[in-house]
Amino acid sequence: MTAEIDIRNVSKRFGSLTVLEDLSLKIPAHEFVVFLGPSGCGKSTLLRMIAGLESIDIGEIFINGEPIGHLPPGQRGVAMVFQSYALYPHMTVRQNMAFGLQNISVSSKVIAERVANAARMLEIGHLLDRKPGQLSGGQRQRVAIGRAVVKEPNAFLFDEPLSNLDAALRARTRVELAQLHQRLKSTMIFVTHDQMEAMTLADRIVVMNNKKIEQIGSPMDIYDRPATRFVAGFVGTPQMNFLNVTALATEPSGVRVECGALAVVAPFDAAAVGRATMLGIRAESVSVVRDGEGDIGATIDVLERLGDRSLVHARLADGQSVVANEAGQTRLKVGERIGLRFAGDKAHLFDADGVAFHVREAVS
Amino acid sequence: MSSNRRRTGPNGSDWRNALFIAPYLFFFLTLLVFPLFWGIWLSFHKADTFSSGAFVGFNNYVRLFNDHVFLQSIWNTFYFVFLTVPALAIIGLTLALALNSSSRLATVLRSLYFSSSVLSVTIVTLIWRIVFVPQFGLLSTIYGWFGAEAPAVLADPDLAMIGIALTTIWWCIGLPMMLFLAALQQIPGDIYEAAALDNAGWWRTLISITLPSIRRTFVLVLIIQIVLQFQLFGQSWLLTRGGPNNLTKPIVLYIYDIAFRRWDVGLGAAASEVLFALILVAAMTQYLISRRQEER
Ligand SMILES: Nc1ncnc2c1ncn2[C@@H]1O[C@H](COP(=O)(O)OP(=O)(O)O)[C@@H](O)[C@H]1O
Ligand SMILES: [Mg+2]
């Protein structure tokens, strides 16, 4: 009832446009994997190749060790939930859910049982005799999930299933999907461009960009130790601060990184010396102190109050902009002179190709 | 949003809005409604070109239903509708399913099948006369290859109406095909992908996904074709003159004969009202049946 999915050296082109290039990925059974990346980076294409809706040009995909490239979509043991839900408009909810089972000659008794179970689990029992046109967006979404659940697939494929829901419903459905995964224990692949969905749902996130995989890792891995500058910039709100590196030197206490007037010393990977061109640090690792204190002085450009915290957009003397975290109740004002303190051991360095260098992990 | 506001609209009173539909209304009334009632009025009078005089009650209708040529023409018309309408719907749908792709060949074939629709009835019957003409016609030639002799289709009592039906199907197939194609293109592609993931084969997909999705168009095509084919005239007139022995004479040809060649306008008007009622009943029945099925 669950699948290990192994994607080996897969490439895909549409005419002259290469969408995926030599991509390999192993998804263990039971795992909840999220494909995360900007729009148009090929997430859906990869998902649809697993489903059998797109052909595999080069490479092969294995499910539980069996190559599946030659199998039609229905025979791969996977179920898909589409972004648009793709419910059959002329069938009732019950018929929508039963259709796939009727086609493989499951007895009507078993079908009725499974539909009833799924309906109870998803709380759509009272909708079974309605047609999709008579349902709200959230209800349709549940029916689409129910249609996948009754098939008892080895793997669930979700293509941005939450993007058509309003914010409140999206947050609720996110939690329910996590619960569904815990209950069913099936492998789940979830495609999204929303890093918040990825962070909250995934066991592992596969960050994709520009035809290839940028990084595979747990949400905290991706967040704390981004493998590339792209990942560092794509994951996390507000976006990570990036400052141009002007000088690098090895010191007894670590690597000294200078960005103009700013100097940060931290135990960075020594390989960064001579290569890093960019320093990255998240807003939460930059704090506001009184003018004249901290690592560097700045002027407040914009103050974003988010309630639980405030984001201070500050401008350095050389014109570069830095976002810093501040308490929700801050008394700071736009135009005020402040000092910024950088938590150097939370910073990252990137070379010209975007490859990241992190602070060496503490040996314990 | 009070009902009062909705009725008058944002720009003031009703009559200004009415101006926009006035031109259409004028022609609708003068060219459709007025003749309809005038026709009803005529059908209760003894009328010819010189006098439209005496009220005769249902006399015209009594005469009509005692005229075996009229009864024959009703039968002929029904037979013709039965031959053409289902065939047009089914062939039109089959062509649409076969040609619903963006390949070059499909595009060319689509235009080809539609091209016959733009011909006038005169040209169409001329073409089919050449097909049917004994000894030299296309049909005779084909029969000749097998050493057989083709029947004289248009002169044969059993085949004449079938010949006219064939001509009509060839002429009219473009519109149903185009309507079905338009409907097929409206079906979202993702439900076909969902069906593929649901293990639906080609036949199951056609029956359970495609046909239910275009059901409204199917009803539309049937109603349009019923209304059109009940009014058969040109093909019969130009191919057989209603012969042999009135066996291909449809109601409209009967009306034409009575009203404009024998100048019995009252009787012709009565026949027109009967035709009008038949078309209305047939189309409404079709519509109501499909509505009932949809509500289930
Ligand atoms: N059927 C297709 N034909 C041509 N190009 C396509 C097709 N499907 C997707 N593409 C292109 O492939 C790229 C990746 O698409 P997609 O996988 O849908 O991206 P994502 O889901 O990450 O937003 C896009 O540039 C898109 O335009
Ligand atoms: Mg997509």
Side-chain angles (χ1 to χ4, degrees):
Chain A
M1 263 287 292
T2 182
E4 176 192 283
I5 299 172
D6 189 0
I7 299 165
R8 285 194 211 151
N9 307 101
V10 159
S11 295
K12 178 75 189 172
R13 10 174 79 236
F14 291 110
S16 61
L17 174 76
T18 304
V19 179
L20 299 172
E21 201 163 295
D22 195 25
L23 190 143
S24 295
L25 170 66
K26 203 162 187 161
I27 302 168
H30 308 306
E31 199 171 62
F32 199 128
V33 173
V34 174
F35 294 172
L36 174 66
S39 201
C41 73
K43 311 176 296 288
S44 296
T45 304
L46 183 58
L47 194 75
R48 292 162 56 81
M49 286 164 83
I50 299 171
L53 299 174
E54 300 286 356
S55 64
I56 304 167
D57 291 350
I58 306 174
E60 181 60 281
I61 298 178
F62 299 82
I63 293 185
N64 291 333
E66 300 292 327
I68 53 153
H70 61 286
L71 291 177
Q75 289 170 27
R76 300 181 173 200
V78 300
M80 184 155 167
V81 176
F82 294 80
Q83 180 172 5
S84 57
Y85 313 141
L87 299 175
Y88 310 122
H90 52 278
M91 296 187 199
T92 62
V93 167
R94 190 192 306 280
Q95 290 165 337
N96 261 283
M97 288 163 74
F99 187 66
L101 298 177
Q102 287 162 353
N103 291 337
I104 51 171
S105 312
V106 176
S107 79
S108 55
K109 185 165 152 285
V110 176
I111 294 180
E113 232 164 67
R114 288 203 205 168
V115 169
N117 281 339
R120 193 171 335 112
M121 182 162 70
L122 295 162
E123 293 166 24
I124 51 173
H126 58 297
L127 306 174
L128 284 178
D129 294 314
R130 295 211 204 152
K131 292 193 173 165
Q134 300 162 299
L135 303 179
S136 71
Q139 290 170 332
R140 277 180 221 183
Q141 220 268 348
R142 281 157 183 278
V143 174
I145 294 175
R147 186 170 67 178
V149 168
V150 293
K151 290 202 265 187
E152 301 186 350
N154 293 328
F156 286 87
L157 311 177
F158 298 96
D159 192 354
E160 313 220 11
L162 308 184
S163 56
N164 288 338
L165 303 180
D166 63 57
L169 201 52
R170 201 179 315 161
R172 213 183 91 194
T173 314
R174 217 159 54 201
V175 175
E176 286 173 353
L177 276 178
Q179 289 168 344
L180 188 74
H181 178 239
Q182 276 164 13
R183 190 166 334 166
L184 299 178
K185 305 244 184 311
S186 308
T187 310
M188 292 191 176
I189 305 180
F190 185 103
V191 163
T192 182
H193 64 267
D194 179 347
Q195 44 119 357
M196 171 89 97
E197 279 172 21
M199 295 291 287
T200 52
L201 281 172
D203 293 327
R204 277 202 308 162
I205 297 177
V206 177
V207 185
M208 295 173 63
N209 183 41
N210 193 20
K211 304 177 213 171
K212 56 186 199 304
I213 294 176
E214 293 270 339
Q215 186 174 4
I216 305 175
S218 71
M220 286 330 287
D221 242 11
I222 303 265
Y223 190 79
D224 286 338
R225 300 180 80 78
T228 64
R229 173 156 184 222
F230 172 81
V231 176
F234 191 74
V235 175
T237 345
Q239 204 192 36
M240 187 181 276
N241 295 301
F242 292 106
L243 297 168
N244 292 317
V245 171
T246 49
L248 283 161
T250 316
E251 282 191 358
S253 54
V255 177
R256 180 187 169 83
V257 184
E258 285 180 21
C259 306
L262 172 74
V264 174
V265 183
F268 287 108
D269 189 341
V273 179
R275 290 185 54 191
T277 58
M278 188 81 70
L279 174 100
I281 187 162
R282 294 196 188 279
E284 68 224 39
S285 307
V286 182
S287 47
V288 178
V289 293
R290 250 182 294 163
D291 190 19
E293 295 177 13
D295 298 310
I296 194 165
T299 316
I300 299 179
D301 255 358
V302 177
L303 197 60
E304 262 187 290
R305 293 186 184 274
L306 304 178
D308 59 335
R309 58 184 177 142
S310 302
L311 297 177
V312 179
H313 296 251
R315 190 159 299 280
L316 307 183
D318 64 1
Q320 297 194 80
S321 172
V322 172
V323 183
N325 237 11
E326 197 22 32
Q329 303 296 343
T330 181
R331 297 256 167 76
L332 294 174
K333 287 195 191 62
V334 172
E336 204 174 330
R337 293 276 317 161
I338 51 169
L340 294 175
R341 175 162 291 147
F342 287 70
D345 55 343
K346 296 281 175 56
H348 313 271
L349 293 173
F350 304 95
D351 71 10
D353 300 326
V355 177
F357 304 93
H358 306 288
V359 171
R360 284 194 308 270
E361 277 177 281
V363 191
S364 55
Chain B
M1 256 264 273
S2 74
S3 64
N4 181 41
R5 180 171 169 74
R6 191 154 11 139
R7 195 159 12 90
T8 51
N11 301 328
S13 58
D14 299 331
W15 64 268
R16 262 182 283 179
N17 295 340
L19 272 183
F20 287 97
I21 57 163
Y24 171 77
L25 207 62
F26 174 76
F27 286 106
F28 179 73
L29 289 173
T30 51
L31 297 178
L32 277 161
V33 178
F34 174 67
L36 183 70
F37 283 100
W38 195 36
I40 293 174
W41 184 86
L42 270 178
S43 73
F44 290 108
H45 289 75
K46 181 170 171 48
D48 55 41
T49 33
F50 308 108
S51 67
S52 54
F55 179 78
V56 292
F58 281 95
N59 192 26
N60 283 330
Y61 289 94
V62 174
R63 280 169 64 212
L64 203 55
F65 283 99
N66 284 323
D67 183 351
H68 76 273
V69 177
F70 179 67
L71 297 178
Q72 178 71 46
S73 77
I74 289 186
W75 164 253
N76 293 341
T77 307
F78 270 95
Y79 181 45
F80 174 77
V81 168
F82 170 77
L83 285 177
T84 50
V85 172
L88 280 165
I90 290 168
I91 298 172
L93 178 59
T94 312
L95 284 176
L97 287 171
L99 300 180
N100 184 26
S101 82
S102 51
S103 74
R104 181 90 43 96
L105 182 69
T107 313
V108 172
L109 286 177
R110 277 201 297 266
S111 331
L112 203 67
Y113 281 110
F114 190 70
S115 62
S116 61
S117 304
V118 305
L119 302 176
S120 76
V121 66
T122 335
I123 309 282
V124 170
T125 50
L126 192 68
I127 293 171
W128 281 82
R129 232 176 230 287
I130 297 171
V131 173
F132 289 138
V133 71
Q135 276 150 40
F136 314 105
L138 181 66
L139 199 64
S140 293
T141 313
I142 294 173
Y143 268 72
W145 292 340
F146 301 98
E149 195 172 327
V153 174
L154 297 178
D156 186 319
D158 291 333
L159 295 179
M161 191 57 103
I162 294 176
I164 292 175
L166 275 177
T167 307
T168 306
I169 292 167
W170 182 85
W171 184 30
C172 297
I173 196 63
L175 181 64
M177 182 189 73
M178 281 303 176
L179 288 173
F180 282 129
L181 273 168
L184 288 175
Q185 316 231 307
Q186 292 292 314
I187 307 176
D190 55 8
I191 70 173
Y192 285 104
E193 295 183 338
L197 279 156
D198 268 347
N199 266 305
W202 180 86
W203 179 249
R204 181 87 162 125
T205 305
L206 177 69
I207 298 297
S208 300
I209 308 292
T210 306
L211 294 187
S213 304
I214 58 168
R215 134 186 255 150
R216 280 163 191 281
T217 303
F218 204 87
V219 174
L220 179 72
V221 165
L222 286 182
I223 291 177
I224 290 178
Q225 291 303 328
I226 284 174
V227 171
L228 272 179
Q229 303 310 341
F230 258 112
Q231 304 177 55
L232 167 66
F233 174 67
Q235 303 94 297
S236 278
W237 179 242
L238 294 167
L239 282 172
T240 63
R241 304 264 145 175
N245 199 16
N246 288 333
L247 281 174
T248 61
K249 178 183 266 186
I251 301 177
V252 180
L253 186 45
Y254 175 86
I255 296 169
Y256 173 72
D257 268 348
I258 294 294
F260 300 112
R261 301 210 309 157
R262 286 208 250 135
W263 300 113
D264 193 342
V265 178
L267 189 62
S272 304
E273 297 310 323
V274 171
L275 176 63
F276 175 72
L278 284 176
I279 294 177
L280 199 65
V281 168
M284 285 309 285
T285 312
Q286 187 58 49
Y287 176 71
L288 291 176
I289 288 175
S290 69
R291 266 265 300 262
R292 170 124 4 122
Q293 280 174 350
E294 203 151 299
E295 276 164 12
R296 263 193 317 152

